[in-house]
């Protein structure tokens, strides 16, 4: 790929890093890929911001998955499902 300027190279690098963001957040990159990712983060505030947002969203989702529904809600859902199943 021919790059016209340093800005074109930076955009291409940013696109590559953003494509790998989820894998990085979930520690799925190889050691070399993570090193390149980390090096880019030290010099790119836009990608660093994207990374921070992704980390916060991931934590919120994980926290939500650990929470359990109240017993009263569970009973209502099960009762409703039984009613719907009996109707069909």
């Amino acid at each position: 790929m021919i790059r016209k300027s340093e800005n074109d190279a930076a955009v291409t690098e940013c696109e590559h890093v953003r494509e790998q963001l989820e894998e990085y957040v979930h520690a799925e990159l190889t050691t070399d890929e993570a090193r390149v990712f980390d090096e880019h983060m030290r010099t790119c505030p836009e990608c660093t911001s994207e990374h921070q947002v992704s980390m916060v969203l991931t934590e919120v989702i994980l926290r939500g998955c650990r929470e359990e529904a109240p017993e009263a809600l569970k009973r209502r859902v099960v009762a409703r499902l039984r009613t719907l199943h009996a109707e069909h």
Side-chain angles (χ1 to χ4, degrees):
M1 174 187 210
I2 299 172
R3 294 186 175 120
K4 297 177 186 172
S5 70
E6 286 185 28
N7 283 343
D8 290 340
V11 169
T12 301
E13 189 173 345
C14 287
E15 289 171 351
H16 179 70
V17 164
R18 288 178 184 165
E19 287 172 357
Q20 294 183 314
L21 188 57
E22 288 302 312
E23 288 84 359
Y24 182 83
V25 168
H26 297 287
E28 297 172 350
L29 295 180
T30 66
T31 303
D32 288 337
E33 290 170 331
R35 181 184 46 75
V36 170
F37 193 97
D38 289 335
E39 288 174 7
H40 180 78
M41 287 295 149
R42 283 192 282 279
T43 62
C44 183
E46 292 85 9
C47 287
T48 299
S49 178
E50 291 277 336
H51 174 245
Q52 290 170 340
V53 168
S54 184
M55 292 293 291
V56 169
L57 288 174
T58 298
E59 178 55 35
V60 167
I61 290 167
L62 289 173
R63 193 175 334 130
C65 291
R66 288 188 297 261
E67 292 178 5
E68 204 169 307
E71 287 302 317
L73 176 60
K74 289 180 189 178
R75 287 191 298 273
R76 286 195 334 249
V77 169
V78 169
R80 181 68 178 137
L81 289 172
R82 287 183 178 143
T83 300
L84 290 172
H85 181 70
E87 291 174 358
H88 291 69

